[in-house]
mmCIF file of all heavy atoms in Angstrom:
data_model
loop_
_atom_site.group_PDB
_atom_site.id
_atom_site.type_symbol
_atom_site.label_atom_id
_atom_site.label_comp_id
_atom_site.label_asym_id
_atom_site.label_seq_id
_atom_site.Cartn_x
_atom_site.Cartn_y
_atom_site.Cartn_z
ATOM 1 N N ILE D 105 102.656 97.309 101.032
ATOM 2 C CA ILE D 105 101.301 97.855 100.909
ATOM 3 C C ILE D 105 100.804 98.452 102.224
ATOM 4 O O ILE D 105 99.991 99.375 102.219
ATOM 5 C CB ILE D 105 100.304 96.821 100.360
ATOM 6 C CG1 ILE D 105 100.231 95.582 101.254
ATOM 7 C CG2 ILE D 105 100.651 96.451 98.930
ATOM 8 C CD1 ILE D 105 99.134 94.607 100.830
ATOM 9 N N ALA D 132 96.476 105.837 89.373
ATOM 10 C CA ALA D 132 96.483 104.381 89.199
ATOM 11 C C ALA D 132 97.078 103.962 87.868
ATOM 12 O O ALA D 132 96.983 102.790 87.480
ATOM 13 C CB ALA D 132 95.049 103.848 89.317
ATOM 14 N N ASP D 133 97.703 104.884 87.159
ATOM 15 C CA ASP D 133 98.251 104.578 85.834
ATOM 16 C C ASP D 133 99.478 103.675 85.929
ATOM 17 O O ASP D 133 100.296 103.821 86.847
ATOM 18 C CB ASP D 133 98.631 105.869 85.118
ATOM 19 C CG ASP D 133 97.446 106.779 84.885
ATOM 20 O OD1 ASP D 133 96.427 106.297 84.358
ATOM 21 O OD2 ASP D 133 97.531 107.964 85.251
ATOM 22 N N VAL D 134 99.596 102.772 84.981
ATOM 23 C CA VAL D 134 100.777 101.912 84.863
ATOM 24 C C VAL D 134 101.735 102.614 83.902
ATOM 25 O O VAL D 134 101.485 102.664 82.695
ATOM 26 C CB VAL D 134 100.402 100.510 84.341
ATOM 27 C CG1 VAL D 134 101.643 99.635 84.213
ATOM 28 C CG2 VAL D 134 99.371 99.862 85.260
ATOM 29 N N PHE D 148 102.728 104.276 90.503
ATOM 30 C CA PHE D 148 103.411 103.335 91.377
ATOM 31 C C PHE D 148 104.486 102.554 90.626
ATOM 32 O O PHE D 148 105.367 101.957 91.251
ATOM 33 C CB PHE D 148 102.410 102.353 91.991
ATOM 34 C CG PHE D 148 101.494 102.976 93.009
ATOM 35 C CD1 PHE D 148 100.142 103.131 92.741
ATOM 36 C CD2 PHE D 148 101.986 103.418 94.227
ATOM 37 C CE1 PHE D 148 99.293 103.703 93.674
ATOM 38 C CE2 PHE D 148 101.139 103.997 95.171
ATOM 39 C CZ PHE D 148 99.784 104.138 94.896
ATOM 40 N N ASP D 151 104.564 98.099 86.325
ATOM 41 C CA ASP D 151 104.011 96.754 86.417
ATOM 42 C C ASP D 151 102.561 96.841 86.891
ATOM 43 O O ASP D 151 102.274 97.436 87.936
ATOM 44 C CB ASP D 151 104.835 95.914 87.391
ATOM 45 C CG ASP D 151 104.249 94.524 87.581
ATOM 46 O OD1 ASP D 151 104.488 93.663 86.721
ATOM 47 O OD2 ASP D 151 103.533 94.313 88.579
ATOM 48 N N GLY D 152 101.653 96.220 86.137
ATOM 49 C CA GLY D 152 100.233 96.330 86.435
ATOM 50 C C GLY D 152 99.841 95.768 87.775
ATOM 51 O O GLY D 152 99.024 96.352 88.507
ATOM 52 N N GLU D 153 100.416 94.632 88.157
ATOM 53 C CA GLU D 153 100.041 94.015 89.426
ATOM 54 C C GLU D 153 100.560 94.815 90.609
ATOM 55 O O GLU D 153 99.889 94.956 91.635
ATOM 56 C CB GLU D 153 100.551 92.565 89.476
ATOM 57 C CG GLU D 153 99.817 91.635 88.530
ATOM 58 C CD GLU D 153 98.302 91.686 88.716
ATOM 59 O OE1 GLU D 153 97.844 91.619 89.883
ATOM 60 O OE2 GLU D 153 97.574 91.823 87.715
ATOM 61 N N LEU D 154 101.779 95.350 90.489
ATOM 62 C CA LEU D 154 102.296 96.214 91.549
ATOM 63 C C LEU D 154 101.412 97.447 91.701
ATOM 64 O O LEU D 154 101.031 97.824 92.827
ATOM 65 C CB LEU D 154 103.736 96.614 91.234
ATOM 66 C CG LEU D 154 104.413 97.553 92.246
ATOM 67 C CD1 LEU D 154 105.871 97.187 92.420
ATOM 68 C CD2 LEU D 154 104.299 99.022 91.825
ATOM 69 N N ALA D 155 101.090 98.076 90.590
ATOM 70 C CA ALA D 155 100.229 99.262 90.646
ATOM 71 C C ALA D 155 98.863 98.921 91.223
ATOM 72 O O ALA D 155 98.280 99.723 91.967
ATOM 73 C CB ALA D 155 100.079 99.875 89.256
ATOM 74 N N ALA D 156 98.362 97.730 90.930
ATOM 75 C CA ALA D 156 97.042 97.326 91.420
ATOM 76 C C ALA D 156 97.024 97.196 92.938
ATOM 77 O O ALA D 156 96.126 97.711 93.615
ATOM 78 C CB ALA D 156 96.619 96.019 90.765
ATOM 79 N N ARG D 157 98.008 96.509 93.495
ATOM 80 C CA ARG D 157 97.965 96.303 94.951
ATOM 81 C C ARG D 157 98.191 97.596 95.726
ATOM 82 O O ARG D 157 97.619 97.798 96.800
ATOM 83 C CB ARG D 157 98.952 95.222 95.391
ATOM 84 C CG ARG D 157 100.407 95.417 95.075
ATOM 85 C CD ARG D 157 101.235 94.218 95.571
ATOM 86 N NE ARG D 157 102.634 94.307 95.190
ATOM 87 C CZ ARG D 157 103.153 93.728 94.106
ATOM 88 N NH1 ARG D 157 102.376 93.023 93.286
ATOM 89 N NH2 ARG D 157 104.440 93.843 93.836
ATOM 90 N N HIS D 158 98.991 98.509 95.162
ATOM 91 C CA HIS D 158 99.212 99.773 95.863
ATOM 92 C C HIS D 158 98.053 100.747 95.654
ATOM 93 O O HIS D 158 97.742 101.543 96.556
ATOM 94 C CB HIS D 158 100.545 100.380 95.438
ATOM 95 C CG HIS D 158 101.710 99.662 96.025
ATOM 96 N ND1 HIS D 158 102.155 99.892 97.302
ATOM 97 C CD2 HIS D 158 102.494 98.661 95.526
ATOM 98 C CE1 HIS D 158 103.171 99.090 97.573
ATOM 99 N NE2 HIS D 158 103.395 98.327 96.501
ATOM 100 N N THR D 159 97.412 100.679 94.509
ATOM 101 C CA THR D 159 96.206 101.489 94.304
ATOM 102 C C THR D 159 95.145 101.114 95.321
ATOM 103 O O THR D 159 94.517 101.981 95.953
ATOM 104 C CB THR D 159 95.661 101.295 92.876
ATOM 105 O OG1 THR D 159 96.599 101.841 91.935
ATOM 106 C CG2 THR D 159 94.316 101.989 92.695
ATOM 107 N N ALA D 160 94.915 99.819 95.503
ATOM 108 C CA ALA D 160 93.924 99.357 96.478
ATOM 109 C C ALA D 160 94.293 99.806 97.886
ATOM 110 O O ALA D 160 93.433 100.257 98.664
ATOM 111 C CB ALA D 160 93.796 97.836 96.420
ATOM 112 N N ALA D 161 95.578 99.702 98.238
ATOM 113 C CA ALA D 161 96.024 100.108 99.568
ATOM 114 C C ALA D 161 95.817 101.607 99.784
ATOM 115 O O ALA D 161 95.386 102.049 100.859
ATOM 116 C CB ALA D 161 97.500 99.746 99.762
ATOM 117 N N TYR D 162 96.121 102.379 98.767
ATOM 118 C CA TYR D 162 95.953 103.834 98.855
ATOM 119 C C TYR D 162 94.477 104.188 99.045
ATOM 120 O O TYR D 162 94.126 105.039 99.867
ATOM 121 C CB TYR D 162 96.504 104.484 97.578
ATOM 122 C CG TYR D 162 96.761 105.962 97.678
ATOM 123 C CD1 TYR D 162 98.060 106.473 97.662
ATOM 124 C CD2 TYR D 162 95.719 106.866 97.761
ATOM 125 C CE1 TYR D 162 98.302 107.832 97.736
ATOM 126 C CE2 TYR D 162 95.947 108.230 97.831
ATOM 127 C CZ TYR D 162 97.242 108.707 97.824
ATOM 128 O OH TYR D 162 97.477 110.048 97.902
ATOM 129 N N ARG D 164 92.105 102.346 100.359
ATOM 130 C CA ARG D 164 91.693 101.976 101.712
ATOM 131 C C ARG D 164 92.179 102.988 102.746
ATOM 132 O O ARG D 164 91.428 103.410 103.636
ATOM 133 C CB ARG D 164 92.228 100.582 102.070
ATOM 134 C CG ARG D 164 91.601 99.445 101.293
ATOM 135 C CD ARG D 164 91.970 98.098 101.916
ATOM 136 N NE ARG D 164 93.413 97.849 101.930
ATOM 137 C CZ ARG D 164 94.080 97.218 100.973
ATOM 138 N NH1 ARG D 164 93.433 96.773 99.895
ATOM 139 N NH2 ARG D 164 95.387 97.017 101.067
ATOM 140 N N ALA D 204 96.735 94.893 81.512
ATOM 141 C CA ALA D 204 97.610 95.296 82.614
ATOM 142 C C ALA D 204 97.294 96.703 83.095
ATOM 143 O O ALA D 204 97.430 97.015 84.282
ATOM 144 C CB ALA D 204 99.072 95.207 82.183
ATOM 145 N N LEU D 206 94.319 98.068 83.035
ATOM 146 C CA LEU D 206 93.035 98.033 83.734
ATOM 147 C C LEU D 206 93.155 97.454 85.141
ATOM 148 O O LEU D 206 92.292 97.713 85.996
ATOM 149 C CB LEU D 206 92.016 97.207 82.945
ATOM 150 C CG LEU D 206 91.496 97.798 81.632
ATOM 151 C CD1 LEU D 206 90.501 96.840 80.990
ATOM 152 C CD2 LEU D 206 90.829 99.153 81.873
ATOM 153 N N ALA D 207 94.207 96.685 85.392
ATOM 154 C CA ALA D 207 94.327 95.984 86.676
ATOM 155 C C ALA D 207 94.222 96.918 87.884
ATOM 156 O O ALA D 207 93.510 96.610 88.851
ATOM 157 C CB ALA D 207 95.633 95.193 86.719
ATOM 158 N N PRO D 208 94.893 98.072 87.912
ATOM 159 C CA PRO D 208 94.756 98.952 89.073
ATOM 160 C C PRO D 208 93.340 99.481 89.273
ATOM 161 O O PRO D 208 92.906 99.704 90.403
ATOM 162 C CB PRO D 208 95.740 100.089 88.780
ATOM 163 C CG PRO D 208 96.718 99.514 87.804
ATOM 164 C CD PRO D 208 95.914 98.579 86.968
ATOM 165 N N PHE D 209 92.616 99.672 88.167
ATOM 166 C CA PHE D 209 91.246 100.168 88.295
ATOM 167 C C PHE D 209 90.312 99.068 88.788
ATOM 168 O O PHE D 209 89.387 99.345 89.566
ATOM 169 C CB PHE D 209 90.784 100.766 86.967
ATOM 170 C CG PHE D 209 91.581 101.978 86.573
ATOM 171 C CD1 PHE D 209 92.607 101.888 85.644
ATOM 172 C CD2 PHE D 209 91.334 103.210 87.170
ATOM 173 C CE1 PHE D 209 93.360 103.003 85.309
ATOM 174 C CE2 PHE D 209 92.082 104.327 86.835
ATOM 175 C CZ PHE D 209 93.097 104.220 85.907
ATOM 176 N N ARG D 210 90.555 97.838 88.360
ATOM 177 C CA ARG D 210 89.799 96.715 88.930
ATOM 178 C C ARG D 210 90.050 96.640 90.440
ATOM 179 O O ARG D 210 89.128 96.405 91.231
ATOM 180 C CB ARG D 210 90.213 95.408 88.258
ATOM 181 C CG ARG D 210 89.834 95.284 86.795
ATOM 182 C CD ARG D 210 90.160 93.884 86.260
ATOM 183 N NE ARG D 210 89.985 93.801 84.824
ATOM 184 C CZ ARG D 210 88.803 93.579 84.232
ATOM 185 N NH1 ARG D 210 87.720 93.408 84.986
ATOM 186 N NH2 ARG D 210 88.727 93.509 82.918
ATOM 187 N N ALA D 211 91.296 96.846 90.834
ATOM 188 C CA ALA D 211 91.639 96.812 92.252
ATOM 189 C C ALA D 211 90.977 97.958 93.007
ATOM 190 O O ALA D 211 90.525 97.788 94.146
ATOM 191 C CB ALA D 211 93.157 96.864 92.425
ATOM 192 N N ALA D 212 90.917 99.133 92.390
ATOM 193 C CA ALA D 212 90.264 100.278 93.023
ATOM 194 C C ALA D 212 88.779 100.014 93.228
ATOM 195 O O ALA D 212 88.213 100.338 94.285
ATOM 196 C CB ALA D 212 90.467 101.530 92.171
ATOM 197 N N ALA D 215 88.328 97.646 96.038
ATOM 198 C CA ALA D 215 88.628 98.279 97.323
ATOM 199 C C ALA D 215 87.569 99.282 97.747
ATOM 200 O O ALA D 215 87.662 99.861 98.828
ATOM 201 C CB ALA D 215 89.992 98.965 97.258
#
Side-chain angles (χ1 to χ4, degrees):
I105 59 173
D133 298 309
V134 179
F148 290 111
D151 177 81
E153 290 307 313
L154 179 142
R157 59 181 175 265
H158 286 278
T159 293
Y162 197 111
R164 292 192 299 268
L206 290 180
F209 296 100
R210 293 186 188 276

